[in-house]
Each structure stands twice: as C-alpha cells, then as structure tokens.
C-alpha cells in the first residue's frame, strides 16, 4: 500500500455522529471518518435495525446524503455501470475512439473511491487480533476471531478462523468454527 493510500483516522469531522443515507438508501450513523488519499471514508453503523442488514459498513463521504443535503456524487452508481459497459467494449475491441476516451476518463475519476475503500478494508483487516469481533457482511454472520492468520504464508490475510455466534451456527458447523474469507469480513471496531 502506498503512503497516500494509508488510512488516517480523523478525530474531528462534522460528519461524526450524523445520520446519513447512502446511495442504496441504507440509513446509518457515521461513527468514524478516515482520510485515504484524496477521499474521506466513513465507517457507519445501521440506523435501521433489521436482521437482513449488515450493522456496519464503510462508504466514501461523497456518496452519503445528510438531512437536507444530497450526496456530493449522486451519479456514482450510474457511472460505475457505464464504466463496466464501456470496459466490455474496450476489452473486446468494439469501442469507438470516443467511447475509449470516455471510458478512461470515467475510470480515472472513479478510481480514488474504490481505491480508498479497498485500502481502508485491507488496513482494518490487518489490525484484527484473536478475540476481536467481526461481521461477515454478505451473510450478516457475527462471530469472534480465533485465528486472524491461519495461512501465514499468504502475502495478505486471505481467511480468518472465526467462531460464529450461536444464532448463526448451522448443521455444517455445530461448534460454529469456520474459516471465512476476509474480503467479506468487517471488524466491528467495538462499535457493535
């Protein structure tokens, strides 16, 4: 990770403790803010209690709307879709010169946001220790980390051994001990 992508926690931000809405319509409370390169990324906890919603996630501040204000970059999702469409054309040699130029311009404009979220996630995963609480945000499983680095020969933390909370155990894992991919894990940071 380059120095400009190292997340720096911001102790002061007018976003802290504010209820916001992300581009997917999820309401959350901003609990922490990190500066990652040129992008500020918030850690949010859900404002709407539901067993179907992951209780913690991150989102660049530009993609959040506060009461009475729209998100600074409300067209982000549409532009991500457009980049995907154009990328297909470019990769298969079917893009016009104008489409190729538009693709590169949009890709470069969107890159800092995905880079910031990725860098923050990698940094937070790298800090997890045995005993820390995590959430698998795809399944909304909660658990306690038993071994944060079961594959130490890997250049990054690929999986973690976790004991799932009783409510999330299944027949496949009666003791609740599973290896989960870190790409879908999120540390609770003591916020839940």
């Amino acid at each position: 990770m380059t120095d400009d992508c190292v997340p720096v926690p911001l102790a002061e931000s007018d976003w802290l403790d504010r209820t916001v809405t992300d581009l997917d319509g999820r309401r959350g409370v901003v609990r922490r803010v990190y500066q990652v390169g040129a992008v500020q990324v918030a850690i949010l906890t859900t404002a709407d209690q539901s067993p179907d919603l992951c209780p913690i996630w991150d989102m660049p501040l530009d993609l959040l709307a506060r009461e009475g204000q729209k998100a600074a970059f409300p067209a982000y999702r549409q532009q991500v879709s457009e980049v995907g469409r154009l990328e297909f054309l470019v990769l298969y040699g079917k893009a016009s010169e104008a489409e190729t130029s538009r693709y590169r311009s949009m890709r470069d404009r969107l890159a800092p946001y995905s880079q910031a979220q990725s860098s923050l996630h990698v940094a937070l995963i790298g800090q997890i220790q045995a005993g820390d609480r995590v959430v698998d945000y795809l399944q909304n499983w909660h658990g306690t980390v038993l071994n944060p680095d079961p594959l130490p020969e890997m250049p990054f933390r690929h999986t973690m051994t976790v004991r799932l909370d009783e409510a999330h155990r299944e027949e496949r894992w009666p003791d609740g001990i599973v290896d989960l991919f870190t790409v879908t894990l999120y540390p609770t940071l003591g916020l839940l």
Side-chain angles (χ1 to χ4, degrees), residues 55-174:
I56 189 167
W57 75 102
D58 62 71
M59 189 67 57
L61 291 182
D62 286 351
L63 309 183
L64 298 172
R66 296 193 259 194
E67 189 174 316
Q69 295 179 333
K70 291 184 177 183
F73 194 176
Y76 177 80
R77 293 275 190 249
Q78 294 86 348
Q79 290 189 20
V80 167
S81 293
E82 178 68 2
V83 165
R85 185 188 74 75
L86 291 170
E87 185 173 47
F88 176 83
L89 295 174
V90 170
L91 289 174
Y92 288 94
K94 297 180 184 220
S96 68
E97 207 171 297
E99 287 171 323
T100 300
S101 177
R102 179 168 165 72
Y103 163 71
R104 289 182 180 140
S105 172
M106 290 178 75
R107 177 198 62 196
D108 293 348
R109 185 176 335 120
L110 298 174
Y113 294 98
S114 58
Q115 177 71 40
Q117 281 187 279
S118 177
S119 295
L120 178 58
H121 187 258
V122 167
L124 293 175
I125 290 295
Q127 295 172 12
I128 291 176
Q129 300 176 16
D132 287 350
R133 302 278 299 153
V134 293
V135 175
D136 180 301
Y137 59 79
L138 287 182
Q139 301 294 329
N140 200 12
W141 290 337
H142 300 232
T144 303
V145 174
L146 300 177
N147 184 350
D149 215 0
L151 301 171
E153 65 278 0
M154 297 290 284
F156 58 91
R157 287 184 164 174
H158 187 260
T159 63
M160 290 190 183
T161 304
V162 174
R163 181 186 310 274
L164 297 175
D165 291 355
E166 194 73 39
H168 307 294
R169 296 180 188 180
E170 296 181 3
E171 217 174 86
R172 296 178 283 177
W173 328 287

Side-chain angles (χ1 to χ4, degrees), residues 1-10 30-37 39-44 56-61 64 111-128 137 182-183 185-187 189 191:
M1 203 173 346
T2 61
D3 286 346
D4 62 336
C5 290
V6 173
V8 177
L10 301 178
V30 175
R31 301 299 182 179
R32 301 210 176 136
V33 177
Y34 291 84
Q35 184 74 47
V36 189
V39 177
Q40 290 185 0
V41 181
I43 305 288
L44 303 107
I56 189 167
W57 75 102
D58 62 71
M59 189 67 57
L61 291 182
L64 298 172
Y113 294 98
S114 58
Q115 177 71 40
Q117 281 187 279
S118 177
S119 295
L120 178 58
H121 187 258
V122 167
L124 293 175
I125 290 295
Q127 295 172 12
I128 291 176
Y137 59 79
T182 58
V183 71
L185 285 183
Y186 209 89
L189 304 172
L191 297 172

Side-chain angles (χ1 to χ4, degrees), residues 9-42:
L10 301 178
E12 294 183 25
S13 170
D14 64 343
W15 288 85
L16 290 169
D17 298 319
R18 291 284 189 89
T19 299
V20 297
T21 305
D22 70 14
L23 295 178
D24 295 324
R26 291 182 297 181
R27 289 178 352 104
V29 178
V30 175
R31 301 299 182 179
R32 301 210 176 136
V33 177
Y34 291 84
Q35 184 74 47
V36 189
V39 177
Q40 290 185 0
V41 181

